[in-house]
Amino acid sequence: MRCLIVEDDPTLATQLADAMSVGGFVPDIAATGDRGEFLGATEPYDVAVLDLGLPGLPGIEVLTRWRAQGITMPVLILTARGDWTDKVAGFRAGADDYAVKPFRLDEVVLRAQTLVRRAAGHARAVLTAGPLAYDTQLGVITRDGVAQRLTAFETRILGYLMHHPDRVVSRTELSEHLYDAGSDRDFKSIEVVIGRLRRKIGGAMIETRRGEGYVLRSGR
Ligand code: CA
């Protein structure tokens, strides 16, 4: 799951990025409204954390432009304490949730995870597919109730497939949601990890559609 953090305070941006990484996200940071607007409009993020007080293009304007372009990713806005008008303007512009500074980092991560789940049509914190269960808050995947020993990358790939079971997920889509904007998108390593996942969780669960992608079978 990729997240965009638009925050001009470098310390806070780094803290947020670290917390979001621990929460299972691959974060990109934009330090200005213009950079944030551009990244959010051109990269397929699963969620954005958007500070409203930004140099240059203000946060509200960033959000307004995204929505005007039909970009529907969930957006959590960061507002200054006590600034009620900011919050209202944010919701009017299309925000999905907000956190008031100073906030707890883990609260923002939890809210972001909830937004991603809701956007994918899941109301619960635990996603299931056949014998698998993915606790999105703990970042733990179990099979028949037993925690699987998966690497962070394996968890990311399987977690993404569990958000979108029973449909074809192409390698391009997977790579777009697994790597940050700066890294090479490497199909080969996705294939290798899918192979490892098959050995760990059972080969029949992930089907390869030649030339199309992968389907996680939920058995539903
Ligand atoms: Ca700011």
Side-chain angles (χ1 to χ4, degrees), residues 122-171:
H122 304 288
R124 289 186 54 201
V126 179
L127 307 180
T128 58
L132 299 178
Y134 177 28
D135 186 320
T136 56
Q137 281 161 13
L138 298 178
V140 172
I141 295 176
T142 57
R143 183 186 164 86
D144 296 320
V146 180
Q148 300 297 292
R149 298 179 63 171
L150 304 178
T151 66
F153 196 62
E154 289 166 356
T155 302
R156 265 192 240 153
I157 288 190
L158 186 55
Y160 189 83
L161 292 174
M162 287 185 72
H163 274 83
H164 305 280
D166 300 313
R167 76 160 171 84
V168 179
V169 175
S170 71
R171 276 183 292 181

Side-chain angles (χ1 to χ4, degrees), residues 6-9 12 51-55 101:
V6 190
E7 169 59 65
D8 57 309
D9 176 338
L12 182 55
D51 183 27
L52 290 188
L54 292 169
K101 291 182 176 182

Side-chain angles (χ1 to χ4, degrees), residues 54-120:
L54 292 169
L57 200 63
I60 290 286
E61 186 56 31
V62 172
L63 182 53
T64 303
R65 289 189 189 184
W66 283 342
R67 295 310 190 217
Q69 293 171 76
I71 291 156
T72 57
M73 70 178 155
V75 175
L76 185 150
I77 53 171
L78 305 176
T79 68
R81 177 163 38 188
D83 201 340
W84 175 248
T85 52
D86 248 23
K87 216 180 299 174
V88 173
F91 278 117
R92 285 211 176 109
D96 299 277
D97 201 356
Y98 69 94
V100 178
K101 291 182 176 182
F103 46 75
R104 285 181 54 104
L105 289 166
D106 51 0
E107 187 195 330
V108 169
V109 173
L110 270 177
R111 285 171 183 271
Q113 288 168 333
T114 304
L115 290 178
V116 170
R117 260 195 334 269
R118 282 202 203 123

